[in-house]
Structure formats: structure tokens, C-alpha cells
Amino acid sequence: QLDIVALGEPLVEFNQATGGAEGVNYRLGHGGDTSNAIVAAARQGARSGYLTALGDDTFGDMFVDLWRREGVDTSEVICDGDAPTGLYFVTHGPSGHVFSYRRAGSAASRLKPSSLPADYIAGAGFLHVSGISQAISDSCCDTVLAAIEIARANGVKVSYDTNLRLKLWPLPRARAITHATVPLCDVIFPSLEDATVLTGLEDPEAIADFYLGLGVPLVVLKLGAQGALVARPGDRQRVAGLKVDTVDATGAGDTFDGAFLSMLVRGEDPLEAALYANAAAALSTCGYGAVAPIPTRDQVLAFLGQGKR
Ligand code: KDG
């Protein structure tokens, strides 16, 4: 029995090391929003599993090794001998990180609804999916929607990160699919940045109203270094940002999602979960790459001054 099952695409990460552009080095790492989130959940002690397809290649093996090391169940991960594992480059410019994808035609983009292990999803506490998984191909979008249907039919809670990537799909389509998915979820984790583009609204309170109005009962709006807004019908709570020495925010939002879910499965309420996830996400920005700097539960608790629990 797993607490959380995530579905989506892992991406091998080449993260620009500091230094000049010529002959620059790239650190090899792991990325892919839902993979990052499930690793974050596992590092917080949640029983976690991942659903995806990998190429039959070294990069695919690299992910299986990662998940096994992290205690993420890989029993339903598909190996697709006819397509590669996707990858991306992260470069660092004056306005933060920039992603360059090499993922078209990847194994995960060929996922289809019939690839889904229904019993595996039906046995989980949460299903976690994202807008990126919907953006990479029509068949992966259908797969996400089919997985949500299986989850809902079996009383499995659904969490969703809008993770808007306009390099992957045009805004009108992103908006239509995202808005149609939100009401199917139990909790959503939009970033303020995504939500501003998707809704055309700038005020966090108005954004929360908008999403609650679509019918989702819990909106956790990620405000980056400014913390988070936890909104439920008739209830708003703010979590303040934490000061850390940020070097790379890649994957911070995903760490937030995984850490938040790990707290819900422990029975904590959404505000406690947001305080914790906010700290985990802040710590994850103190190192390069999406996965390497994700903190463990002990590190998060130490940072919050709570010691081990
Ligand atoms: O949130 C970080 C992810 O965006 C990154 O790891 C890569 O999944 C990725 C994507 O498609 O942008």
C-alpha cells in the first residue's frame, strides 16, 4: 500500500555549473517535476511509487537507480525500447534558470491510458500529476486524465501542480486543460507565476477565489521566496517566506508538493503541511539541481528548530 503515486516524465538534467559560457561544465542530475516531487515525498518518509516510461538506455537506468536508492517503488515503470529517456539543460541567467528541453518523442511522451496499472493507482492514498505531464503529448494528457478517473473512482485523492511550461504547449490549450483538471482534484499547487498567466489575475487572494470557484477544495498557492497561501472555502492562511542562500530554485516547487503531501499522509492539517513544505522547498534552493539538494525530514525539522520527530 503506497501513500503517494506520481505519474509523469523524468528528465535527465544537465545543470550549468558556474563559470563562463565557453567550455562550461554541466552537472549531471535528475529532474522532471513529478519525479522530483515523488523523491521529495520519499525523503520525507512517505511510501512512494512512480509511474512513467523510460527508454532502454543509460539515462533510463540512471533513474531506476535513483528511485531504488530513494525507496521509490518502480514496479510499474515501463521500459520502452523504441524511444529515448527525455533530457533537459538548465542554464542560469540574470532572471533565474532557463530550461532547454530535448524530450520530443521521449518514452514518457508515448504513455497511453492503456499503459496504466489501475490496481496500483487504486491502492494509493494520493495520485500526484501535473500540467507538464499533460503538455508533453496528447496521449500523455489522456493518460493523466485516465489516471485521475481511476483515482476518483477508487477514493484516491488527487493532487495537481499546474507547472505551466509554455515551451511545451500554447497558452489557450494549457488554460483549457488546466482549468478542466482543477475541479477533478482534492488539492492543487499552482505557483503564483503560473497562476498569473493561467488566470490573468495577479492578486493571490483573487487567484485562490478563482480556483476554489472551479470546485477544488484546497488551493496551495506557492509564492516562491514569499512563502505560500493556503486557501479553503471560507479560510485563508499565509505562510511566510524563509531566508536562505538560494543558488538554484530548480525543482523547489516540486519539493514543496512532495513535502506537503507527505505531511497530509501523516495526518497533519494543510497549514502545518504548508509550513513544513515551505521549509523543505527553501532548503532545496541552496544547492544546484532539482533532486540533489532536496532535504530529508530530519534536515527540514532541524531547520524548523523542531529536532527529530
Ligand atoms: O520543476 C522543475 C522541473 O520543471 C524540471 O525538473 C524539469 O520537469 C521539468 C520540466 O519539464 O520543466
Side-chain angles (χ1 to χ4, degrees):
Q1 194 85 8
L2 296 171
D3 295 321
I4 309 164
V5 167
L7 163 68
E9 176 167 46
L11 288 180
V12 173
E13 180 182 86
F14 292 88
N15 200 311
Q16 182 186 28
T18 42
E22 292 292 324
V24 75
N25 288 315
Y26 287 85
R27 286 184 193 83
L28 183 63
H30 305 89
D33 62 338
T34 50
S35 172
N36 301 337
I38 205 68
V39 170
R43 281 195 194 166
Q44 315 316 309
R47 290 167 303 175
S48 307
Y50 196 51
L51 292 175
T52 192
L54 299 167
D56 186 10
D57 48 32
T58 315
F59 290 148
D61 296 344
M62 198 178 113
F63 270 103
V64 173
D65 288 347
L66 168 78
W67 296 322
R68 293 206 174 135
R69 238 178 13 245
E70 300 288 342
V72 173
D73 182 69
T74 58
S75 57
E76 295 292 345
V77 168
I78 295 167
C79 177
D80 179 343
D82 297 322
T85 305
L87 56 90
Y88 76 131
F89 295 84
V90 184
T91 48
H92 301 276
S95 48
H97 54 245
V98 178
F99 297 155
S100 302
Y101 299 123
R102 295 296 179 272
R103 71 195 308 176
S106 68
S109 73
R110 288 151 50 104
L111 279 170
K112 45 187 190 304
S114 59
S115 341
L116 289 171
D119 290 348
Y120 189 81
I121 296 170
F126 273 92
L127 170 73
H128 179 67
V129 292
S130 82
I132 292 178
S133 321
Q134 294 175 308
I136 57 174
S137 70
D138 291 355
S139 73
C140 204
C141 184
D142 293 346
T143 308
V144 169
L145 293 170
I148 293 176
E149 213 163 85
I150 294 168
R152 286 167 58 87
N154 290 281
V156 177
K157 292 201 156 63
V158 178
S159 62
Y160 179 65
D161 190 326
T162 50
N163 255 344
L164 178 65
R165 298 288 183 270
L166 290 174
K167 283 183 181 164
L168 298 177
W169 56 355
L171 182 56
R173 183 170 163 80
R175 205 171 255 158
I177 301 277
T178 303
H179 290 2
T181 306
V182 167
L184 307 175
C185 300
D186 296 278
V187 50
I188 62 164
F189 303 109
S191 67
L192 178 61
E193 214 180 332
D194 284 4
T196 300
V197 179
L198 285 166
T199 66
L201 302 165
E202 279 174 16
D203 173 35
E205 300 283 338
I207 290 169
D209 284 340
F210 175 86
Y211 282 127
L212 291 173
L214 290 183
V216 62
L218 174 59
V219 177
V220 186
L221 186 63
K222 296 178 285 191
L223 307 174
Q226 267 62 58
L229 171 66
V230 181
R232 286 173 284 189
D235 182 34
R236 299 292 152 91
Q237 317 235 31
R238 283 255 188 180
V239 171
L242 298 167
K243 255 207 111 30
V244 289
D245 293 324
T246 296
V247 294
D248 177 12
T250 306
D254 309 329
T255 296
F256 188 104
D257 303 351
F260 188 95
L261 292 175
S262 79
M263 290 291 276
L264 289 193
V265 300
R266 280 172 189 271
E268 300 286 357
D269 69 27
L271 182 63
E272 278 298 317
L275 287 164
Y276 181 93
N278 186 45
L283 288 175
S284 78
T285 69
C286 300
Y288 285 94
V291 164
I294 297 173
T296 61
R297 182 164 168 85
D298 287 350
Q299 289 168 328
V300 178
L301 293 177
F303 181 65
L304 287 169
Q306 295 179 5
K308 290 193 185 188
R309 281 213 278 198

